[in-house]
Amino acid sequence: MQSSATARNDLPGNPNIKMKKLHLTDEQSYIFDVNDRSKGTPYNISFEIRFSRHFPVEQLRHAVKKCLLPADISGAKCFTDGNEKHMEFSAPTIPEIKTYNFPSTEQYQRYCDSIPEKEINNRDKLFHAFIYSINNSFNNLHFCFNHLVFDGISGIILYEAIQKVLLDEHTEIHWHPFASHLEKVRLNSTRISHIDDEKFWETKFHELSRCEPIFKDAIGIEESDATSLNFQLDRESKSALLSHCEQKKISPYLVISSALAELLAKKNGCQRISIEIPIGNRVGKEEKNSIGAYEIAAPFTFDFSNSNKLNDVIESAKIQSREFYRHKDFPWSNGIISPSNMEKNGPYTPQVEVSYFCFNKNHSLGFASLHHHNSKSSNLPFSLYISDYLDYEEMSFYYIFWGQYISCATIIEIQNELECSLMELVRIGNV
């Protein structure tokens, strides 16, 4: 079968990357549309690498370039052709990596907040990097990527690669091309197994149509002014939760999402709700060594009509996660808003998302730490970003919500009840 890619010529200086034009995945297409509606602030993955010892500016620049130039997303651009959206991969280039010395953390943070709008876009400026210090301290690195080309796991593996190059400048860096993923998704869409994917998603669409809106006043509103609150789960509680999840062989991500779903359903008088939760999509050894946007925001359903036991809901979430992974290549984001599905099941109105940024226990080589920067806006009424810095003492719960429909007092109440629910789950599990 002929590939949908258009290969024109080898790129100068890198014989492993060819000039290609490929369709965006369904998930990327969704993010592209969200970005175009966001008044110039793309949905982004932003993080910093802080160093505990001095590295000269030129050494850091060298490490960044050595790690990013072999990645095909460094030469990626997005464009539209009629109703179709494409990503073109050409010669990798690294924008100028500037250096800044900020007098305070607050001024550094203000500059970071301006990056998504000023330095990246939805077409030809998909990432930005700079070196910074605060009050002449050690030099550090900051990255901001359009989520079209980058996900949380990409941040972790890039972080690891940069550390290796700083330890040994002769380290060779090789990435599996993200373009191969786009080709694979397109190829899978033509296979017989895709019919099974379509049947699965038709059933899921009907299931989603039975879910109730959590925030009824926000129905039909595309965007609103966002407010944010940040909380920390203390070291003892975090350790107890992670130990419980390890013992039960369940992701902390799904446990927290299920407990949150239970709270939101009770508070809003709902029996069935849905929450969009990204799942990983790195199926093989090669794709685990790749920088790119592999995450899928899957619509999990939480049904409390038959059982109000949290463990039953968690088990259901586990099953759904496996099923989503099996049927991951179907373009569900387009399918659910298609005229035929809208006529059959009505409009799909997502309102809640939960994202989990988990940093590996053994990722640090001892002289650097990775810190995720949370977004300041959301296209949904309620978003929760959980940052689990496993080498550190706390777990961060960062809420972004539409203040016109959800009060700060409600968010504080939700967080307090969520922590109590999680610790009660741990207590019962230890009896």
Side-chain angles (χ1 to χ4, degrees), residues 154-400:
S154 298
I156 295 171
I157 60 178
L158 176 60
Y159 161 65
E160 293 172 340
I162 286 173
Q163 288 184 88
K164 291 176 182 177
V165 172
L166 289 173
L167 280 179
D168 181 2
E169 65 175 325
H170 301 295
T171 300
E172 293 295 325
I173 300 296
H174 302 283
W175 303 113
H176 179 66
F178 179 68
S180 295
H181 171 64
L182 301 186
E183 291 175 314
K184 185 176 180 180
V185 170
R186 175 65 59 176
L187 181 63
N188 286 344
S189 70
T190 65
R191 290 178 174 165
I192 295 176
S193 61
H194 201 62
I195 298 174
D196 293 331
D197 295 339
E198 187 172 5
K199 290 179 180 178
F200 166 81
W201 281 103
E202 283 180 356
T203 302
K204 175 57 69 173
F205 292 164
H206 177 67
E207 185 181 311
L208 288 165
S209 72
R210 299 170 63 223
C211 291
E212 303 160 75
I214 302 171
F215 306 108
K216 296 179 177 60
D217 292 343
I219 294 175
I221 307 299
E222 289 196 0
E223 63 178 311
S224 179
D225 292 338
T227 306
S228 62
L229 285 176
N230 194 30
F231 305 89
Q232 304 294 331
L233 186 65
D234 63 80
R235 180 178 183 178
E236 183 178 352
S237 298
K238 171 188 162 180
S239 178
L241 175 62
L242 295 185
S243 296
H244 172 81
C245 293
E246 185 175 6
Q247 179 185 352
K248 301 295 182 180
K249 295 181 172 57
I250 175 70
S251 165
Y253 191 5
L254 292 181
V255 170
I256 296 170
S257 299
S258 300
L260 176 65
E262 181 184 45
L263 287 173
L264 292 176
K266 285 181 179 178
K267 282 186 174 298
N268 294 278
C270 303
Q271 288 192 317
R272 300 182 188 90
I273 65 172
S274 68
I275 297 179
E276 289 194 353
I277 306 173
I279 61 172
N281 179 22
R282 294 170 183 262
V283 295
K285 183 178 179 181
E286 287 184 332
E287 288 179 341
K288 290 177 181 177
N289 183 46
S290 176
I291 295 178
Y294 286 87
E295 291 175 351
I296 302 170
F300 284 70
T301 54
F302 296 89
D303 190 342
F304 301 95
S305 61
N306 297 319
S307 174
N308 58 3
K309 294 180 180 179
L310 183 54
N311 280 321
D312 292 342
V313 177
I314 293 171
E315 186 60 31
S316 171
K318 285 177 62 177
I319 294 170
Q320 290 182 75
S321 181
R322 288 195 293 265
E323 288 298 306
F324 285 135
Y325 193 78
R326 283 180 55 201
H327 303 284
K328 61 187 178 298
D329 290 332
F330 184 80
W332 79 268
S333 293
N334 286 330
I336 203 166
I337 61 173
S338 66
S340 60
N341 182 67
M342 296 275 279
E343 182 178 351
K344 185 186 301 182
N345 294 310
Y348 172 60
T349 54
Q351 292 192 320
V352 177
E353 67 173 347
V354 178
S355 295
Y356 185 70
F357 297 89
C358 176
F359 299 135
N360 300 334
K361 287 182 179 178
N362 300 318
H363 67 267
S364 178
L365 297 178
F367 58 84
S369 58
L370 182 64
H371 301 267
H372 174 256
H373 280 238
N374 294 298
S375 174
K376 299 296 181 184
S377 62
S378 175
N379 64 309
L380 297 179
F382 183 105
S383 300
L384 171 59
Y385 297 90
I386 306 160
S387 297
D388 178 14
Y389 299 93
L390 290 176
D391 283 348
Y392 300 91
E393 296 185 357
E394 298 169 333
M395 180 183 287
S396 171
F397 289 73
Y398 182 80
Y399 294 85
I400 306 176

